[in-house]
Amino acid sequence: MYPARYESWFATESQESDSQSNCASPILDLDQISYDLDHASWTHNPTLSPIDINARSLDDSINPDTSVLFSTTLPSSIHPTGTQSDASDTAIIPFSDDSDTLPLEPDILLKSNMPADLMRLFSANLIQRRAGTHRQGKKCLKGRNQADSSPSLSAASGSASSISLHFTPSDTSHTINACPGVPIHWPVPGPSFLETFPVGRASAGQGVLPFDIDTRGNIPRAYSQNCAGATTTSMSPCSGCTEVVGFIEHLLSLAQDTKPHTKYRFLSHSDMVNVARQYSAENNRLKLKGLNDARRVSHILTQLDDYKSLIMALLENNIPHLQHILTVALKRGSSIRQIINTLEDSLAGAYHPRGYTGDDLDMAVLAYRLGGRALLHAFSHRLALPSLRTLQAHRNFTSITPTIGPITPDQLDSNIKNLLLNPLSDSSLPRRGYSVLMDEIALEERASHHRASNSVIGLCHSHSHLVDPSLHTYDSALRIAEKLAEGKIHLGKEMSVIAVGSFGDDGIFPVLAAPTCKCEDSEKMISIFMLIRDRWKETGAEEKLGPIFSFAMDGDSTRRAAGHRLFLKTELSMTSKLYGTLSHMQGLNLATGEGEITLDFDYKHIFKHEFSLIVGMKLVNGHTVNRAVLTRYLSWLPDQDETSILKLLNPDDPQDVPRAIELMQAIITLSKNEFDTTTMSVGECADIVAIKILGAVLESILLPFIDVTLSLHQQIAHLSRYAHLTFTFFRLHRSAFMPHVLYYDSQTMVKNACFCVAKQQKLDGSQKFWLIQTGDDRLEKLFGITRMRGQHNSAMNYSQALDRIGAAKDIDTVFKKHPDLESGSRRLKITRVEGLNHIRCDLWVGDVVASHCDLPSAWKDGRDKALTVLTDAHVSAVCCAFNEFFLQDGCDLMRPWGENKYLGITSDIDGHGIESSVNSASGLPILSESILVAGPTSVEEETELDEDVLTLEEALTHDVAFGSPNIDHTIPSTSHPDTPVLVSGPGINPDDYLLVHGKYIHKETICRRVLNKYFIAKSLNRQERVYSTGFTKVNCQCELPGRSITGGDTFIIGDVFLTIIRINLTVTIALVRSTSIEHHSITRHDILASNIRTPDVKLTGQILTLIPTHQPAEQRSWLWTGDYVKTRSEIQGIKQTTEKVVEITVPGLLVELVNPETTCVRMRDDINSDKFFALNNLGNTWIIEELALSLACDTLWRNACEHSISIKNILHIPTPSDPSMFPYALPDGSAGIVCIEASQQLAAAELGPLDDCPLCGVKTDSMRAHIGIHILRASHGIKETLKEEVGLTYPCGFCGQSGCNECKIQIKVSSKGSVSLETRCPYFHVFRYANADIGSKNRPSRNVPLKCELCHPSLTPVTGKKSRAESGFVDAVWCYNMIQHLDDVHPQYAHPKNPTGHPLPLDILNTFMLTSLEQRDASIPKSQWLMPLFDSDDDKENQPGPSTRKRKNKNTGNTNAKKARKSA
């Protein structure tokens, strides 16, 4: 476009778009600057900053990154000879951006509208910049004269508007023509060339034009500053001017496309005019905006004054109906000033607002129902709420028809029509299913008068038909009181409430409220259920609203039995619409009642039972998880400490649902934590596996009701997982895992949820189904509001209960419309977080549309998840074969053992709940008659009245009857008592009074004084009411550890110990893992090791199964397989047995603590690892040496002998289901560790007394008498031929042996003379001590155990005082060993064989003296006889010697009388 050397004259695009602030410059006085037109004055100045060249405007041969530096130094005048003037004569203008801007003011540009004006302005500036005013020196004048005289190309005329070019011809040989310049073709739209050309570029500075412009002709021409002035070609520009063409083309492109941010000095006059006009328009706009803002500010200030006036009015005056006035004013769109005027009119009484909103009516209902008429009156006057009259005109209050006498269809019809059909008849409700809810609420046992029916209400509906409840005369009240006293009728202890609620709406509608004495049997309950079902159809409610899906209740046994018989009546028909869906859910029980109605139980009731169950349940492989185990591991959670764990596991109220859920969530959190099992002990690994199983079970039942993000599909999947997990563990451990009743209730709840979803899908699948609406929780919430109506006194009689439950229904309706107003019930909240009471349907965010749930798919997902949990827990695949189980006849989740046997309906022998008998022909469950008929209730004995209490008639006719209201209900009689004046007066109804002894008494007073004569108020504390009826707390508090459980001298639950037990005829050792510690009858979590071996300690645990290593006996060890010893247990009612983990309790005296080492079975080659499938994933287990087991076995047997624990008192366990597991067996099947001595004694004790003499082998029927002869002969030196010789020192009287610990014998003589013996001699047999002490002709031996009075003297009782406490067992001495005992222990005393020493007391000597019959029978020579102290006849029976037994002397009284007379 143009030569590279002129690049610096054009700014780049970025430089042209700089901020306009850089273009501002002071106006230069151009008259003071002189310019020369010689282009040689343009020199390079290296001190200037580099300017980037726009690559798009350069030739291809020029590098765009090259920086070129130029400056304009104003030189001195150039003479034609080429010389310059002196430097001192040269005017120099320094280069700067500020000096480059032409002094073209906007006002001047706006005024220069004519081209001539622009020409003069442009030329003047251009000439001043190029020519300037010089000092008139000689050289300059000379050069000018020479130029004027030489041939040159000069401008014609008008030097003011042209630029002169001076040159000196150097070559005169050719024809020289003046350079015509380059014509400028400027096709830019505009008035003229000068207005559209960027005249600002003529100024010095960046982007200055490298050529001059001649505008005198029609076509402006450009002359380069390097113009030669002449050219050899006619009408062609010189070479210097030719280079200008590119510049002009570039300027033209810039003028045709002007950038919005181009510097002002590069704009044309027309562009500058447009800019000036824009600034002028912006200025005018800002001025107008300022005026508008001023007016707006003034208006806002006026409004602020109005608001201040309103606030001052509200502060200084108590304006009635303020909220209503403001509501009406805002609806009208009134301004603040109008509102102030309205408030002023209201203060003056000139304005009264009318009309109430629905919220106003709701708040009025709350005020009236919660606080009564007085509170509503106060709110109406102070808060402008509607008055009671207005409220009655716009709202219908709930009123329940009372049950007077038996339950009748009319009562149900009235309530269904008034509470459901009439209010809902105008609304278009979708078709939904309904659930019937039933529960009881406590009542005060008080009768009251019902004015509308003139009857006594509060009598139980079961027996009230035995008396007429009408109150016509005073005799009617006496007749009712007589029946109450006889116990034929009863006052209601509770009120049975039956309500109906829909699936899809939180509303609940009570249809029956009847007082009950809790004597109903299942037949009575069945009749009530059937009546409600039938009346629902007959009244048209099923057609207008929807069918009944389920009957929900809590865990009452009578209602459970009735519901079982009525709603598990027949199998689901194959023609049913539900069959196609539910039949594909394998294991689901399909038994329903009429109309396919199912039974349901409240899920919060199940939560509470799960909470109580956690205190001890058996899970994987029979491992026990109880309170102690949870206490130990819950402390691992970061948000739990000892105090919080104590509150969780030992709540004051077992019915505390939030506490139960909090504990369940804590266990779930613990089960999901990842623990480093490599650092944990074997016991801890086993505990963690069991806790993970427990967490999975609890999570499956809890999350579907508290996790609002779950969809209906996910909820059913969780319930399916729960059902399959509980099914598996219940089959394994039965009631040790879960009580039968809880299993029945939970499985019924899961079944009902599936049935209800399927029914809603068939009824209207587009509707939502909330699982939280199952159960009777909504009725419990209504009861909470009912009790709240009582304020500080929640007790109520039946009449009050009817009014309160009606009020509770109205309050609940308001709370459903305004859930933010409800505080909720503390015990029923899912969580205690403020602001979130019950989880409501509107809070559920998961997809719960009924049709979006594929029931068979969700059911299968839950079963697969259950199998995953069981596989991870190493549960045997045989126990998880659901397909095989459910193919059995009559086997499903509710009937785990098939044969159509249900659980939890009747009681079995051991009280764990039951399996109901079922008629196999009809397939219907048949309950035993014992459960169908309730036993008679006991009537409390009447309490006697104090003497100062008024009689009945006195209380009724007393002028100031205590407890009566302020008004006097008694009307004095006239002069004729037989004709009293009728009761009259304002607000008095004569029909409410009865004549009693000449006075009119109000019927309510008669009920209070006659029927409620012996009323005793119940405690307002619910727990005291429950416990006073005989119930105990579910969770008995146990003593928590008071020291760190990590102490080395502490034994905690979960540690192992050794003990000896007997199985069949074997006494062996057992390794036991403790599950409970009891010390002084208090359950503890730990105990000091030094305190265990005491009689007051009992340890409970499970026997571990051990397998020996394949090593020699001296190196053999035993390893735990991860399982426990199990035995077969019979299932009541069917011919099946299941395995049951053996759990034993042993005294601390038979406990030996052990700390086994840990080993990994995977790293051992001396064991078969396939037998350790029940171990944890790491394969770590306990190992203990056989030598240690044998030593412990002997030590424990010695402890038993030392503490005189007989072989019969050692714990016996039944034969295990796998006999090879216990007693611990060697690989060849023989017993590994056996206590031989104890086993022999056990065999002797089990087989009965031995009749073969161990000394001579002769059979005898009295081993004691026979052995006595051998002992007597041996003591006298008579030789016998015996298999074994008689013991030399203290031979046993039963076996003749000496030195055997088991032959040690002890004796206890009571104060009455009875004798008790203890010994473990295998030849021991029972005998009559008194007869043996006397001896007989057939059995003359008198060798009996004696109590040595020298060693253990008996204290003589003191006359007139109580006898001293009896002594315990002491060591006994056989009669024939007494002389040896005297020689060894009491040598200071003389006896027949030792005549020297102190004489023995006569009573002691007579105990061991031998009779002649004894010595003759023993064939002792007479020369060696011990002479008796009395004579005996050979023909007579053996004379009785002094007996240890003390006998009463019948003649003691006579003897004492004789002694008294003799002394007198």
Side-chain angles (χ1 to χ4, degrees):
M1 295 175 62
Y2 45 82
R5 65 176 178 270
Y6 296 123
E7 289 173 342
S8 62
W9 279 301
F10 291 97
T12 61
E13 183 178 356
S14 61
Q15 293 169 343
E16 291 185 357
S17 302
D18 288 344
S19 172
Q20 298 298 335
S21 61
N22 296 332
C23 300
S25 63
I27 300 176
L28 300 178
D29 188 3
L30 300 180
D31 296 335
Q32 302 300 324
I33 305 174
S34 61
Y35 294 85
D36 194 280
L37 299 179
D38 190 355
H39 62 271
S41 61
W42 298 89
T43 60
H44 180 266
N45 186 358
T47 62
L48 298 179
S49 300
I51 301 175
D52 294 334
I53 304 301
N54 190 344
R56 291 176 294 179
S57 63
L58 300 178
D59 295 334
D60 296 336
S61 60
I62 303 300
N63 186 0
D65 297 332
T66 305
S67 300
V68 183
L69 302 178
F70 285 93
S71 66
T72 302
T73 304
L74 298 179
S76 59
S77 300
I78 305 299
H79 294 274
T81 59
T83 60
Q84 296 182 355
S85 61
D86 297 336
S88 60
D89 298 334
T90 304
I92 300 175
I93 299 177
F95 181 86
S96 67
D97 287 341
D98 294 339
S99 63
D100 291 341
T101 304
L102 286 175
L104 302 179
E105 297 293 337
D107 294 338
I108 300 176
L109 292 175
L110 291 176
K111 293 177 181 179
S112 57
N113 296 327
M114 302 301 293
D117 297 335
L118 292 174
M119 181 63 189
R120 284 192 298 270
L121 178 64
F122 174 74
S123 301
N125 282 277
L126 186 61
I127 291 170
Q128 289 181 10
R129 182 171 66 86
R130 290 301 182 184
T133 301
H134 289 261
R135 189 177 53 197
Q136 301 298 326
K138 294 180 178 180
K139 295 181 178 181
C140 184
L141 292 175
K142 182 179 179 181
R144 180 175 299 180
N145 293 332
Q146 292 176 356
D148 292 339
S149 59
S150 63
S152 62
L153 179 63
S154 61
S157 62
S159 60
S161 59
S162 62
I163 301 175
S164 299
L165 301 175
H166 304 279
F167 65 92
T168 301
S170 57
D171 188 3
T172 59
S173 61
H174 299 280
T175 302
I176 302 300
N177 298 319
C179 178
V182 178
I184 303 175
H185 299 283
W186 197 257
V188 177
S192 64
F193 167 75
L194 293 178
E195 291 184 9
T196 59
F197 188 82
V199 297
R201 292 184 179 272
S203 301
Q206 182 183 3
V208 66
L209 297 177
F211 55 87
D212 296 331
I213 301 174
D214 184 3
T215 61
R216 289 175 295 180
N218 293 331
I219 297 176
R221 291 182 175 274
Y223 294 90
S224 173
Q225 292 180 359
N226 297 325
C227 180
T231 177
T232 58
T233 306
S234 174
M235 299 306 294
S236 296
C238 63
S239 60
C241 293
T242 304
E243 298 176 352
V244 176
V245 176
F247 291 99
I248 296 174
E249 293 176 354
H250 183 66
L251 288 176
L252 178 60
S253 63
L254 294 178
Q256 290 177 342
D257 186 16
T258 304
K259 302 301 181 181
H261 300 293
T262 304
K263 291 183 179 181
Y264 292 156
R265 63 186 297 266
F266 298 142
L267 296 177
S268 65
H269 176 269
S270 177
D271 294 335
M272 289 296 294
V273 170
N274 292 334
V275 171
R277 287 174 180 172
Q278 291 176 2
Y279 276 114
S280 178
E282 180 68 16
N283 187 27
N284 294 334
R285 187 187 66 79
L286 293 177
K287 288 180 180 180
L288 181 60
K289 182 177 182 299
L291 294 176
N292 291 334
D293 290 343
R295 292 191 61 183
R296 189 178 295 106
V297 169
S298 176
H299 180 69
I300 291 176
L301 291 176
T302 303
Q303 285 186 332
L304 288 177
D305 293 338
D306 293 340
Y307 280 112
K308 290 180 180 179
S309 301
L310 176 61
I311 294 175
M312 295 302 296
L314 297 178
L315 292 177
E316 296 177 358
N317 301 280
N318 188 11
I319 303 174
H321 308 284
L322 175 61
Q323 183 179 3
H324 199 180
I325 293 173
L326 295 178
T327 302
V328 173
L330 292 176
K331 285 183 178 180
R332 294 175 179 175
S334 302
S335 64
I336 298 298
R337 176 52 55 186
Q338 291 174 339
I339 294 176
I340 295 175
N341 295 336
T342 303
L343 294 177
E344 292 176 353
D345 295 341
S346 178
L347 285 174
Y351 174 77
H352 300 283
R354 293 183 179 181
Y356 297 97
T357 64
D359 292 344
D360 295 334
L361 295 174
D362 291 339
M363 294 304 298
V365 170
L366 283 181
Y368 177 64
R369 283 308 201 178
L370 289 174
R373 184 189 302 265
L375 181 63
L376 179 59
H377 177 79
F379 282 2
S380 177
H381 285 74
R382 178 63 63 180
L383 302 179
L385 289 180
S387 63
L388 181 58
R389 181 175 298 179
T390 304
L391 192 61
Q392 290 173 342
H394 291 82
R395 291 292 174 88
N396 294 324
F397 296 122
T398 302
S399 178
I400 301 176
T401 303
T403 300
I404 304 174
I407 299 175
T408 61
D410 295 338
Q411 301 170 4
L412 292 172
D413 294 349
S414 175
N415 290 326
I416 291 175
K417 292 179 181 178
N418 295 333
L419 300 182
L420 280 100
L421 296 181
N422 295 338
L424 302 178
S425 59
D426 298 334
S427 59
S428 57
L429 297 176
R431 294 275 293 172
R432 292 194 178 102
Y434 282 77
S435 176
V436 178
L437 320 176
M438 185 173 184
D439 206 344
E440 288 93 9
I441 186 171
L443 291 178
E444 295 281 4
E445 297 177 41
R446 290 186 290 145
S448 57
H449 174 247
H450 188 251
R451 176 183 295 181
S453 61
N454 190 30
S455 303
V456 175
I457 59 175
L459 303 177
C460 69
H461 68 86
S462 300
H463 306 95
S464 56
H465 63 280
L466 300 177
V467 68
D468 183 8
S470 300
L471 204 59
H472 299 296
T473 62
Y474 178 59
D475 292 336
S476 301
L478 295 179
R479 190 178 305 108
I480 296 174
E482 181 181 356
K483 294 293 183 181
L484 288 172
E486 293 175 357
K488 295 182 178 180
I489 62 175
H490 314 95
L491 294 172
K493 299 178 180 180
E494 294 181 351
M495 182 173 66
S496 297
V497 179
I498 298 180
V500 177
S502 69
F503 291 107
D505 183 18
D506 285 336
I508 184 174
F509 306 92
V511 296
L512 179 65
T516 175
C517 60
K518 300 294 291 182
C519 294
E520 302 94 340
D521 54 15
S522 60
E523 292 291 345
K524 181 68 175 179
M525 295 305 304
I526 288 176
S527 64
I528 295 175
F529 291 163
M530 294 177 63
L531 181 62
I532 295 173
R533 181 194 62 192
D534 297 340
R535 299 323 301 167
W536 183 263
K537 294 181 180 179
E538 296 296 332
T539 56
E542 179 174 349
E543 180 181 356
K544 297 179 181 179
L545 302 177
I548 293 178
F549 280 0
S550 63
F551 271 68
M553 59 195 69
D554 59 3
D556 183 78
S557 59
T558 303
R559 290 197 294 271
R560 181 188 294 109
H564 178 81
R565 293 183 59 187
L566 188 62
F567 303 121
L568 282 84
K569 197 172 184 179
T570 57
E571 289 290 329
L572 187 66
S573 173
M574 297 181 64
T575 60
S576 172
K577 296 180 180 179
L578 306 179
Y579 188 83
T581 300
L582 300 179
S583 61
H584 290 84
M585 302 170 67
Q586 190 181 30
L588 183 67
N589 182 271
L590 299 180
T592 63
E594 183 179 342
E596 297 178 348
I597 299 176
T598 53
L599 184 62
D600 188 20
F601 291 95
D602 184 33
Y603 59 90
K604 289 186 179 179
H605 153 77
I606 297 175
F607 289 170
K608 292 183 290 187
H609 280 264
E610 292 281 358
F611 171 74
S612 61
L613 178 65
I614 292 174
V615 300
M617 71 162 52
K618 288 182 173 58
L619 294 166
V620 55
N621 299 325
H623 195 85
T624 301
V625 176
N626 53 23
R627 184 185 291 108
V629 174
L630 294 177
T631 301
R632 178 179 181 183
Y633 293 102
L634 285 177
S635 60
W636 292 7
L637 295 177
D639 56 342
Q640 297 291 340
D641 54 16
E642 182 177 340
T643 303
S644 62
I645 295 174
L646 176 63
K647 292 181 179 179
L648 285 179
L649 296 175
N650 303 279
D652 296 330
D653 183 10
Q655 303 294 324
D656 195 344
V657 175
R659 189 73 67 192
I661 294 178
E662 188 178 354
L663 175 60
M664 294 167 70
Q665 289 177 324
I667 296 175
I668 294 172
T669 303
L670 179 63
S671 65
K672 290 182 175 297
N673 284 355
E674 296 295 335
F675 300 103
D676 185 9
T677 55
T678 59
T679 60
M680 297 168 59
S681 65
V682 177
E684 290 175 341
C685 291
D687 291 338
I688 292 299
V689 171
I691 290 175
K692 288 184 178 295
I693 292 292
L694 177 59
V697 173
L698 297 180
E699 183 183 35
S700 302
I701 190 65
L702 183 62
L703 288 189
F705 299 98
I706 69 171
D707 190 353
V708 297
T709 63
L710 294 181
S711 64
L712 187 59
H713 181 97
Q714 294 171 325
Q715 289 176 299
I716 298 298
H718 275 82
L719 293 180
S720 174
R721 184 174 78 158
Y722 172 83
H724 287 86
L725 287 176
T726 52
F727 173 83
T728 301
F729 290 116
F730 190 83
R731 282 182 58 92
L732 288 174
H733 309 298
R734 292 167 53 186
S735 58
F737 165 70
M738 180 180 291
H740 293 190
V741 171
L742 179 57
Y743 182 81
Y744 179 88
D745 292 353
S746 60
Q747 293 288 359
T748 302
M749 183 266 295
V750 174
K751 166 192 170 182
N752 175 74
C754 299
F755 265 81
C756 289
V757 173
K759 293 175 185 177
Q760 187 61 49
Q761 289 176 345
K762 302 303 179 182
L763 187 65
D764 186 358
S766 62
Q767 299 298 320
K768 294 184 177 181
F769 184 88
W770 286 278
L771 201 62
I772 57 177
Q773 290 184 334
T774 58
D776 66 343
D777 181 56
R778 288 180 284 179
L779 187 56
E780 290 285 356
K781 292 170 59 178
L782 190 68
F783 287 168
I785 302 176
T786 303
R787 297 185 186 96
M788 180 182 63
R789 285 276 288 112
Q791 303 299 326
H792 297 288
N793 184 9
S794 59
M796 53 188 169
N797 58 20
Y798 179 62
S799 177
Q800 295 171 334
L802 288 175
D803 177 69
R804 290 186 185 182
I805 201 168
K809 175 63 181 69
D810 296 335
I811 295 171
D812 185 65
T813 302
V814 176
F815 283 160
K816 294 298 183 295
K817 297 170 62 177
H818 308 278
D820 55 307
L821 301 178
E822 185 181 8
S823 63
S825 176
R826 180 182 64 85
R827 289 189 178 94
L828 295 178
K829 289 182 182 179
I830 293 295
T831 175
R832 283 196 171 88
V833 178
E834 294 297 332
L836 181 61
N837 303 333
H838 294 273
I839 293 183
R840 305 189 304 270
C841 296
D842 57 327
L843 298 177
W844 207 272
V845 297
D847 182 10
V848 292
V849 177
S851 60
H852 295 174
C853 175
D854 185 4
L855 282 174
S857 176
W859 187 260
K860 183 178 182 300
D861 292 345
R863 186 184 66 177
D864 294 341
K865 293 178 181 178
L867 287 173
T868 302
V869 173
L870 296 172
T871 303
D872 295 341
H874 302 281
V875 177
S876 175
V878 178
C879 303
C880 311
F882 299 123
N883 294 331
E884 298 179 6
F885 293 150
F886 298 144
L887 289 178
Q888 300 176 10
D889 184 23
C891 180
D892 52 40
L893 291 173
M894 293 187 65
R895 298 170 293 183
W897 289 294
E899 299 185 17
N900 203 21
K901 298 292 183 179
Y902 289 88
L903 308 175
I905 308 303
T906 59
S907 299
D908 59 4
I909 296 176
D910 56 9
H912 290 300
I914 75 77
E915 300 85 13
S916 65
S917 60
V918 179
N919 188 342
S920 58
S922 63
L924 301 180
I926 301 175
L927 305 183
S928 61
E929 294 297 330
S930 61
I931 195 63
L932 301 181
V933 181
T937 57
S938 61
V939 181
E940 296 182 0
E941 297 182 359
E942 298 184 358
T943 57
E944 297 183 359
L945 297 177
D946 297 334
E947 294 180 357
D948 57 347
V949 177
L950 299 177
T951 62
L952 177 62
E953 289 75 10
E954 291 173 343
L956 289 174
T957 58
H958 200 267
D959 291 339
V960 187
F962 59 88
S964 60
N966 294 331
I967 62 172
D968 187 9
H969 290 298
T970 62
I971 308 299
S973 62
T974 61
S975 58
H976 295 281
D978 297 336
T979 57
V981 178
L982 293 176
V983 180
S984 62
I988 296 178
N989 185 1
D991 294 336
D992 294 341
Y993 293 83
L994 290 179
L995 184 63
V996 181
H997 299 293
K999 290 186 177 182
Y1000 284 100
I1001 308 298
H1002 198 279
K1003 294 180 179 179
E1004 187 65 36
T1005 304
I1006 294 176
C1007 290
R1008 185 171 63 252
R1009 297 302 178 198
V1010 177
L1011 304 182
N1012 306 328
K1013 181 179 180 182
Y1014 302 118
F1015 165 73
I1016 299 176
K1018 293 181 179 179
S1019 173
L1020 300 181
N1021 189 330
R1022 186 189 60 82
Q1023 298 182 53
E1024 292 182 1
R1025 293 198 304 269
V1026 173
Y1027 299 152
S1028 63
T1029 57
F1031 294 98
T1032 57
K1033 299 180 72 172
V1034 177
N1035 295 330
C1036 298
Q1037 182 174 351
C1038 62
E1039 183 177 343
L1040 288 178
R1043 54 191 171 274
S1044 174
I1045 62 175
T1046 59
D1049 59 343
T1050 304
F1051 181 86
I1052 63 176
I1053 290 180
D1055 289 348
V1056 294
F1057 63 90
L1058 293 171
T1059 187
I1060 53 173
I1061 56 178
R1062 55 190 179 96
I1063 175 172
N1064 299 328
L1065 298 179
T1066 303
V1067 177
T1068 183
I1069 194 75
L1071 183 63
V1072 185
R1073 191 160 192 258
S1074 61
T1075 59
S1076 176
I1077 302 174
E1078 186 176 333
H1079 188 204
H1080 293 292
S1081 301
I1082 298 176
T1083 303
R1084 300 177 58 88
H1085 291 178
D1086 68 290
I1087 188 174
L1088 291 176
S1090 57
N1091 296 337
I1092 290 181
R1093 297 178 181 86
T1094 59
D1096 300 326
V1097 175
K1098 293 182 179 179
L1099 299 183
T1100 302
Q1102 298 168 317
I1103 303 175
L1104 279 63
T1105 57
L1106 303 180
I1107 293 180
T1109 58
H1110 304 303
Q1111 293 177 336
E1114 60 275 5
Q1115 300 178 357
R1116 185 184 299 131
S1117 298
W1118 297 77
L1119 284 75
W1120 180 38
T1121 63
D1123 206 348
Y1124 300 90
V1125 175
K1126 300 180 179 67
T1127 185
R1128 305 301 300 182
S1129 177
E1130 182 180 356
I1131 303 174
Q1132 296 290 336
I1134 60 178
K1135 299 178 181 179
Q1136 293 186 26
T1137 60
T1138 60
E1139 286 188 334
K1140 180 179 180 181
V1141 175
V1142 177
E1143 192 165 17
I1144 63 174
T1145 300
V1146 296
L1149 296 174
L1150 296 181
V1151 169
E1152 188 70 27
L1153 300 184
V1154 63
N1155 185 19
E1157 297 180 353
T1158 302
T1159 186
C1160 181
V1161 297
R1162 299 178 181 177
M1163 307 298 294
R1164 303 182 66 94
D1165 55 359
D1166 56 352
I1167 201 76
N1168 185 7
S1169 59
D1170 295 338
K1171 297 183 178 180
F1172 295 83
F1173 64 91
L1175 273 182
N1176 52 73
N1177 294 329
L1178 296 178
N1180 292 341
T1181 186
W1182 281 313
I1183 182 172
I1184 185 170
E1185 296 180 356
E1186 182 174 319
L1187 180 61
L1189 294 176
S1190 301
L1191 182 61
C1193 183
D1194 296 338
T1195 303
L1196 290 172
W1197 172 244
R1198 286 196 301 269
N1199 292 342
C1201 297
E1202 292 175 359
H1203 293 88
S1204 302
I1205 300 176
S1206 65
I1207 192 67
K1208 290 286 187 179
N1209 290 335
I1210 295 178
L1211 182 67
H1212 175 266
I1213 65 171
T1215 303
S1217 56
D1218 185 0
S1220 63
M1221 290 291 98
F1222 196 82
Y1224 301 138
L1226 297 175
D1228 58 359
S1230 61
I1233 299 97
V1234 176
C1235 184
I1236 299 176
E1237 183 179 349
S1239 299
Q1240 292 177 351
Q1241 291 191 21
L1242 177 61
E1246 292 293 336
L1247 296 177
L1250 300 178
D1251 54 1
D1252 291 338
C1253 176
L1255 302 180
C1256 64
V1258 177
K1259 290 185 177 295
T1260 178
D1261 56 353
S1262 178
M1263 189 65 65
R1264 179 198 57 81
H1266 178 78
I1267 293 295
I1269 296 176
H1270 290 301
I1271 296 175
L1272 197 57
R1273 291 175 179 174
S1275 63
H1276 288 77
I1278 300 176
K1279 298 295 184 180
E1280 292 184 278
T1281 304
L1282 303 174
K1283 296 188 300 181
E1284 293 186 12
E1285 297 295 333
V1286 177
L1288 298 179
T1289 58
Y1290 303 103
C1292 174
F1294 291 114
C1295 64
Q1297 303 295 323
S1298 298
C1300 297
N1301 292 330
E1302 61 271 16
C1303 293
K1304 179 181 179 181
I1305 190 169
Q1306 290 186 319
I1307 187 172
K1308 181 175 73 173
V1309 181
S1310 66
S1311 59
K1312 296 180 180 180
S1314 60
V1315 178
S1316 300
L1317 301 176
E1318 279 191 357
T1319 183
R1320 294 190 304 277
C1321 181
Y1323 291 87
F1324 168 79
H1325 65 92
V1326 180
F1327 63 94
R1328 294 181 61 86
Y1329 189 89
N1331 294 338
D1333 192 15
I1334 298 174
S1336 65
K1337 187 174 182 179
N1338 295 329
R1339 294 176 183 172
S1341 175
R1342 294 175 54 248
N1343 188 24
V1344 294
L1346 302 176
K1347 174 185 176 184
C1348 178
E1349 293 294 337
L1350 297 177
C1351 298
H1352 308 285
S1354 300
L1355 300 178
T1356 305
V1358 180
T1359 306
K1361 293 185 179 181
K1362 295 182 180 179
S1363 60
R1364 292 177 171 82
E1366 300 178 356
S1367 59
F1369 283 93
V1370 296
D1371 292 337
V1373 181
W1374 287 94
C1375 176
Y1376 292 170
N1377 298 335
M1378 194 63 185
I1379 293 178
Q1380 188 176 0
H1381 173 73
L1382 292 174
D1383 291 339
D1384 295 341
V1385 182
H1386 310 289
Q1388 68 274 21
Y1389 289 99
H1391 52 79
K1393 288 189 176 182
N1394 181 21
T1396 61
H1398 301 286
L1400 275 172
L1402 186 60
D1403 54 347
I1404 297 177
L1405 180 63
N1406 290 335
T1407 58
F1408 62 90
M1409 287 300 298
L1410 300 177
T1411 63
S1412 58
L1413 189 57
E1414 285 179 281
Q1415 299 178 80
R1416 184 183 301 111
D1417 186 66
S1419 302
I1420 299 175
K1422 279 193 175 184
S1423 59
Q1424 299 181 12
W1425 281 15
L1426 296 179
M1427 299 304 297
L1429 300 179
F1430 51 84
D1431 296 333
S1432 62
D1433 192 352
D1434 295 344
D1435 298 331
K1436 295 181 180 181
E1437 291 288 331
N1438 201 19
Q1439 299 295 326
S1443 174
T1444 307
R1445 181 189 297 270
K1446 295 178 174 58
R1447 299 177 177 83
K1448 294 182 179 179
N1449 189 351
K1450 296 181 180 181
N1451 298 325
T1452 303
N1454 296 333
T1455 303
N1456 293 337
K1458 293 179 180 179
K1459 291 182 179 179
R1461 287 194 297 269
K1462 186 180 294 185
S1463 62

